[in-house]
Amino acid sequence: MYSTCLYCTHDLGANAVVESLPVGRRIAFDAGTGRLWVVCRHCAKWNLVPFDTRLETIDACERLFHDTRTRYSTDNIGIARLPEGLDLVRVGRAQRPEFAAWRYGDQFGRRRRRQAMMIGAGVIGGAIFLIGGHALRTAGISIGFAPNLLTNAVGAYSRHRVVVRHPPGEEGNGGGVMTEFDARKSAIRAQGDTWIAALPMRRMVAGRMVSPTNRPVATGFSGAEAIAALGRVMPRLNGTGGSQRAVGNAVRLVDDAKSVDGVIQIALRGENVASDGEMMLKSVPTWERLALEMAAHEQTERAALEGELKLLERQWQQADALARVADSLALPESLDPDGDR
């Protein structure tokens, strides 16, 4: 039984209500398609469940949902909160745009609110710093180069902090990590009638930080590996989320494009493509970036279901392995000076 989010590798929590699926504090289910998800409370992403007991679990969730008085429902989607603290999300005969907007709107809205809070905290912190600095100068105490030192420290932290972990793939690459700066340099490169994901990757580390000697190497992903890689990178590029209008535009784009390939082909027709056919993902319009993230996750789910969930089982195993790596962060920093084991 896996208990780690596929996307952020945070613990999904547990419940004592659904015996066949004791993982998660929010479970979403669709009896019509036989799909079952555990929703991560940290990043709000929906983790498709590969377990053999999913049909039994869906039946149990259906019974619990209807037996719960505290619930809210629209015509097609409902949510029930059990007294034990478990949330159940029931997906009925929702049209695809309605379901996508409901599923992803929470994720992107949460990111947008978090970004606003961070900006507000930064403004307040800057004001406090300026007021404090003025008071110190009035008292005859010089703060010297403190502002520059603070800026440089923040920049160094962003350049070396791990934000994405890629597990080893089937195409021969050994996996690796990316920093925030690496994610911003991610690109799509047209290759004839197809495309590859060009990502700057650093060798795998166990810690939060990479050493200055661990430099990024351009790595190309294609096929299913490229789609999975985009699914991990796009949340970083979409860190500020999106407005309801942007999410709505993204949903319509995914509905029209039908696949990741379709979304990318539309994006490649834009004005952000270089003469060599390379398109920096950070320069893509917001709704297209959101659409790419949606399409990447949904296409991975479809592939997993068509492949009898073997692909998804492997992804869960990799997420658990990465989570175990993250657990090693509890070791003292002095034992890992380079952030590499």
Side-chain angles (χ1 to χ4, degrees):
M1 182 69 70
Y2 307 113
S3 58
T4 301
C5 177
L6 283 168
Y7 306 100
C8 70
T9 68
H10 277 73
D11 186 74
L12 291 169
N15 72 83
V17 183
V18 184
E19 183 177 349
S20 54
L21 183 60
V23 174
R25 304 293 293 172
R26 172 172 286 192
I27 297 173
F29 62 99
D30 183 346
T33 62
R35 294 192 184 189
L36 179 69
W37 300 268
V38 176
V39 183
C40 177
R41 303 311 296 266
H42 179 78
C43 67
K45 288 196 175 297
W46 292 30
N47 295 261
L48 187 65
V49 175
F51 311 124
D52 294 335
T53 58
R54 66 186 184 281
L55 297 181
E56 173 188 339
T57 304
I58 290 173
D59 289 341
C61 289
E62 190 81 65
R63 290 194 299 271
L64 288 168
F65 183 88
H66 285 289
D67 290 345
T68 303
R69 294 182 179 180
T70 309
R71 65 174 186 257
Y72 168 79
S73 297
T74 64
D75 291 340
N76 299 307
I77 297 175
I79 183 168
R81 172 156 294 177
L82 278 63
E84 296 82 357
L86 175 66
D87 291 344
L88 294 176
V89 179
R90 183 182 184 275
V91 181
R93 296 182 177 275
Q95 296 296 311
R96 192 189 178 291
E98 177 189 0
F99 173 57
W102 202 92
R103 172 177 177 176
Y104 295 104
D106 183 41
Q107 297 176 27
F108 300 140
R110 179 178 296 189
R111 293 181 203 169
R112 190 176 178 86
R113 291 190 295 272
R114 184 169 60 237
Q115 181 70 9
M117 291 175 62
M118 291 174 63
I119 292 174
V123 171
I124 294 172
I128 293 174
F129 185 85
L130 290 174
I131 294 171
H134 178 72
L136 289 173
R137 284 192 296 271
T138 301
I141 302 174
S142 175
I143 60 174
F145 296 102
N148 291 335
L149 291 175
L150 180 61
T151 301
N152 292 337
V154 172
Y157 181 73
S158 297
R159 282 185 174 85
H160 298 99
R161 184 172 69 95
V162 173
V163 297
V164 180
R165 294 182 184 272
H166 295 279
E170 296 180 343
E171 295 186 351
N173 70 76
V177 298
M178 298 175 68
T179 68
E180 195 74 48
F181 274 60
D182 299 332
R184 294 175 188 171
K185 295 178 180 178
S186 300
I188 293 295
R189 186 176 300 130
Q191 278 196 339
D193 295 333
T194 185
W195 57 275
I196 63 171
L199 310 179
M201 297 260 291
R202 303 172 193 251
R203 69 178 183 274
M204 185 67 76
V205 298
R208 288 188 181 91
M209 309 293 287
V210 294
S211 66
T213 59
N214 187 355
R215 299 185 179 281
V217 177
T219 306
F221 294 84
S222 61
E225 294 285 349
I227 295 172
L230 288 179
R232 290 185 286 268
V233 172
M234 294 313 299
R236 302 307 310 183
L237 296 176
N238 293 330
T240 57
S243 63
Q244 289 186 350
R245 181 177 180 180
V247 173
N249 289 337
V251 169
R252 285 188 288 273
L253 177 55
V254 174
D255 203 37
D256 292 338
K258 308 299 183 187
S259 66
V260 174
D261 288 337
V263 175
I264 289 177
Q265 292 304 324
I266 291 173
L268 286 172
R269 298 173 198 158
E271 58 185 18
N272 300 304
V273 183
S275 57
D276 61 356
E278 185 170 280
M279 176 181 66
M280 300 300 294
L281 288 171
K282 69 176 182 180
S283 65
V284 173
T286 300
W287 65 90
E288 291 184 358
R289 291 201 313 270
L290 297 178
L292 190 53
E293 181 178 341
M294 293 180 190
H297 291 153
E298 292 187 9
Q299 194 157 327
T300 298
E301 285 189 0
R302 285 196 298 271
L305 290 169
E306 292 169 0
E308 298 180 354
L309 301 173
K310 292 179 181 177
L311 171 64
L312 194 62
E313 190 85 21
R314 176 171 171 267
Q315 290 180 335
W316 276 80
Q317 291 170 350
Q318 291 171 337
D320 266 12
L322 292 179
R324 286 194 294 273
V325 168
D327 287 342
S328 67
L329 302 181
L331 291 175
E333 291 272 322
S334 58
L335 297 182
D336 186 23
D338 296 325
D340 205 349
R341 295 191 183 89

